[in-house]
């Protein structure tokens, strides 16, 4: 059974804190993604990675960074959390894009910044 | 710019049929996905269309017209557990997924 696991379901952090969101996949997928999901908006891509140590900015990278030291793990970092980063964060993985197969999502992390 | 449009919310009755529409304008097209997302849970894959026509999978069917930039998801014999958000996403020419905002489907007894 394929699995994408995010380290936390719920997080509450203070403004200015450094926040780490971890994601691990067990499918040996090349691609990994971080999205945020807000009411009334589609999934918005923050960053993605198509290989170890590779990263690409998505549509809304400001205020975020990522790390992919191992193929199975993709971390999202909020350098200095702000209240407008309160959101649901979804990690996903997929095999090579050209294969046109679906992405698999983690359960999501609901982050509240106070 | 790239754009995916879906209705925000729909209501249907248990046992009935509902059609959720999706129109898109993207730079290139490499396929269209439908995902289901229950409240507080991760999206799960429902269907993928890359050629025109209807793909049937049990109670769910998905249709695509590339010339019209249009797709729909058809749900038959609705059950209460079908209450969820349905997300349309298009794979563009760079193999990036462009997501719609999702359609919240409410099923009433």
């Amino acid at each position: 059974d394929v699995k994408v696991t995010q380290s936390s379901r719920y997080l509450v952090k203070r403004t200015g804190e450094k926040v780490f969101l971890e994601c691990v996949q067990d499918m040996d997928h090349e691609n990994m993604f971080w999205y945020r999901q807000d009411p009334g908006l589609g999934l918005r891509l923050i960053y993605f990675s198509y290989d170890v140590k590779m990263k690409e900015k998505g549509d809304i990278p400001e205020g975020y960074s990522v790390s992919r030291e191992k193929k199975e793990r993709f971390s999202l970092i909020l350098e200095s959390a702000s209240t407008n980063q309160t959101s649901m964060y979804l990690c996903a993985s997929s095999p090579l894009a050209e294969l046109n197969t679906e992405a698999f999502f983690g359960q999501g992390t609901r982050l509240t910044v106070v | 710019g790239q754009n995916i449009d879906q209705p925000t919310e729909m209501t249907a009755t248990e046992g009935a049929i509902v059609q959720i529409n999706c129109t898109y304008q993207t730079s290139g097209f490499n396929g269209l996905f439908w995902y289901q997302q229950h409240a507080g849970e991760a999206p799960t894959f429902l269907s993928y269309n890359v050629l025109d026509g209807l793909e049937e999978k049990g109670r769910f069917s998905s249709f695509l017209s590339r010339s019209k930039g249009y797709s729909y998801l058809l749900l038959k014999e609705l059950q209460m557990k079908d209450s969820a958000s349905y997300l349309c996403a298009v794979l563009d020419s760079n193999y990036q997924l462009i997501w719609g905002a999702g359609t919240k489907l409410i099923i009433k007894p």
Side-chain angles (χ1 to χ4, degrees):
Chain A
D1 194 22
V2 297
K3 190 173 275 188
V4 179
T5 304
Q6 295 182 228
S7 52
S8 305
R9 288 295 303 270
Y10 301 95
L11 275 180
V12 180
K13 297 291 182 181
R14 294 194 180 278
T15 301
E17 277 193 80
K18 191 169 186 177
V19 182
F20 293 86
L21 302 183
E22 305 286 343
C23 176
V24 177
Q25 52 100 358
D26 64 0
M27 295 165 282
D28 201 35
H29 284 166
E30 287 78 12
N31 299 322
M32 295 189 76
F33 309 84
W34 275 106
Y35 292 94
R36 63 179 283 177
Q37 186 176 34
D38 299 290
L41 301 175
L43 289 170
R44 292 185 291 167
L45 183 63
I46 304 171
Y47 268 97
F48 66 100
S49 168
Y50 52 87
D51 201 353
V52 176
K53 296 193 185 294
M54 305 300 289
K55 60 184 179 183
E56 295 284 343
K57 292 181 180 179
D59 300 318
I60 51 164
E62 296 78 19
Y64 303 94
S65 62
V66 291
S67 172
R68 193 164 182 201
E69 297 296 318
K70 293 184 178 181
K71 190 176 185 180
E72 67 270 19
R73 187 180 297 270
F74 192 36
S75 302
L76 179 70
I77 303 151
L78 286 67
E79 297 292 341
S80 177
S82 64
T83 55
N84 63 13
Q85 292 179 309
T86 291
S87 187
M88 170 69 89
Y89 290 88
L90 288 165
C91 173
S93 74
S94 69
L96 290 172
E98 291 77 4
L99 297 177
N100 292 350
T101 59
E102 73 269 26
F104 295 86
F105 285 84
Q107 287 296 94
T109 297
R110 185 164 293 283
L111 172 67
T112 302
V113 182
V114 298
Chain B
Q2 308 206 88
N3 197 49
I4 309 266
D5 284 317
Q6 314 177 226
T8 303
E9 188 174 295
M10 299 181 71
T11 303
T13 305
E14 190 176 16
I17 299 173
V18 71
Q19 177 176 310
I20 303 173
N21 296 325
C22 171
T23 58
Y24 62 89
Q25 293 172 304
T26 57
S27 54
F29 180 84
N30 279 302
L32 185 144
F33 293 86
W34 283 97
Y35 280 77
Q36 180 190 59
Q37 186 179 24
H38 286 100
E41 297 184 11
T44 55
F45 170 79
L46 287 178
S47 67
Y48 171 71
N49 294 68
V50 67
L51 298 176
D52 289 350
L54 188 68
E55 296 272 347
E56 296 187 74
K57 195 184 290 187
R59 293 189 299 114
F60 291 11
S61 303
S62 56
F63 171 84
L64 175 68
S65 168
R66 287 172 296 171
S67 62
K68 295 182 179 178
Y70 168 69
S71 172
Y72 67 72
L73 182 68
L74 191 72
L75 292 74
K76 303 176 185 176
E77 301 169 16
L78 285 169
Q79 302 175 9
M80 297 303 293
K81 67 179 182 180
D82 297 330
S83 291
S85 288
Y86 291 86
L87 312 180
C88 173
V90 171
L91 203 59
D92 71 8
S93 57
N94 294 319
Y95 292 96
Q96 296 301 314
L97 271 175
I98 311 300
W99 293 84
T103 299
K104 183 178 181 180
L105 178 63
I106 300 167
I107 310 295
K108 295 185 175 179

